[in-house]
Amino acid sequence: MFNNKISKLIAAVAVIASTTSISFAVEKNYPAINTAIAKLGLQVQDVVDVPLNGMKGVLTDKGLFYVSEDGSMLLHGTLFNLKEGMKNESEAILSKVRVSQLGKFEAELIEYKAKNEKYAINVFTDITCGYCRKLHQQIAEYNDLGITIRYLAFPRGGVASQSYRDMVSVWCAQDPAQAMTDAKVKGQIVAKSCANPVVDHYNFGAQIGVSGTPAIILQDGTLVPGYRPPADMLQLLQGS
């Protein structure tokens, strides 16, 4: 469980003046980091290089942190690179993770495919979210613009909430796409239970920086928080 000790350790993120490429490191090479993170109740997913001397980027089940190689210091926040025009190094790391990990969920997404598909966006959604409902009511407009919508589950109340149980019912329905529409547009949910990916989707979202819904992942891994009208989304995609 996310430990309150973290809030006492979080410091202002350093703004650095050098660059380096992001590469995945072997987790077992950093026992001090693993030990320090475990004491905070977090699980290390990956350790990555960052352009910050003596520090590593540590991707956990609760997001991205920066930890000294000896495990004594922890930073949390956004890391910017001054020499690269305020490049967001944190987003660069997370974008790579989003792209690399999304593929494993491909068979579990609820998809509304555009006939003349030009773009596909992955949307973390919750059926209780007002803007998620608004986005869903405009599915046809997104599709007409060549934008395919692919949903992942992100129950905002967590995995012990009614919204989680309702999302499970949607994913377990015989026709999940229709069940999603019924839930969002009509408020109709038929209780179902089955092996489902809702927890995995939720944990993945927490790992890559999703904190609310809708949260949209573009094909290059960019995270777009919040609702975008169809025309605005097309413009964003055309410029990405």
Side-chain angles (χ1 to χ4, degrees), residues 69-87:
E69 293 182 7
D70 65 1
S72 65
M73 301 295 292
L74 180 146
L75 297 172
H76 181 255
T78 304
L79 186 67
F80 293 101
N81 191 319
L82 287 177
K83 278 193 173 181
E84 292 292 311
M86 290 293 286
K87 175 186 176 183

Side-chain angles (χ1 to χ4, degrees), residues 211-224:
S211 59
T213 54
I216 301 165
I217 309 297
L218 306 186
Q219 288 173 298
D220 65 355
T222 299
L223 172 64
V224 180

Side-chain angles (χ1 to χ4, degrees), residues 53-119:
N53 290 337
M55 304 293 286
K56 293 292 180 182
V58 182
L59 189 70
T60 76
D61 56 326
K62 298 298 182 183
L64 178 64
F65 297 85
Y66 303 96
V67 183
S68 60
E69 293 182 7
D70 65 1
S72 65
M73 301 295 292
L74 180 146
L75 297 172
H76 181 255
T78 304
L79 186 67
F80 293 101
N81 191 319
L82 287 177
K83 278 193 173 181
E84 292 292 311
M86 290 293 286
K87 175 186 176 183
N88 188 330
E89 297 284 358
S90 300
E91 181 62 17
I93 293 171
L94 290 172
S95 290
K96 288 179 178 291
V97 173
R98 293 171 194 136
V99 170
S100 67
Q101 296 296 313
L102 266 172
K104 71 181 183 182
F105 298 108
E106 187 171 353
E108 306 167 348
L109 306 180
I110 297 177
E111 183 179 76
Y112 299 82
K113 191 173 183 63
K115 290 182 179 179
N116 60 332
E117 181 180 292
K118 299 175 183 176
Y119 306 98

Side-chain angles (χ1 to χ4, degrees), residues 153-181:
F154 195 82
R156 297 178 299 165
V159 296
S161 65
Q162 182 60 47
S163 63
Y164 162 76
R165 292 186 286 274
D166 290 342
M167 296 290 271
V168 168
S169 295
V170 168
W171 253 264
C172 289
Q174 184 174 356
D175 184 346
Q178 184 60 52
M180 180 71 78
T181 296

Side-chain angles (χ1 to χ4, degrees), residues 121-188:
I121 59 175
N122 298 280
V123 183
F124 284 89
T125 193
D126 182 346
I127 60 176
T128 68
C129 157
Y131 277 107
C132 296
R133 292 173 178 169
K134 184 172 183 178
L135 186 155
H136 193 81
Q137 289 167 353
Q138 295 176 297
I139 286 283
E141 295 177 52
Y142 289 99
N143 286 171
D144 287 345
L145 293 173
I147 303 171
T148 290
I149 304 293
R150 298 170 177 162
Y151 282 137
L152 297 97
F154 195 82
R156 297 178 299 165
V159 296
S161 65
Q162 182 60 47
S163 63
Y164 162 76
R165 292 186 286 274
D166 290 342
M167 296 290 271
V168 168
S169 295
V170 168
W171 253 264
C172 289
Q174 184 174 356
D175 184 346
Q178 184 60 52
M180 180 71 78
T181 296
D182 291 342
K184 285 185 174 180
V185 177
K186 302 177 182 178
Q188 297 177 354

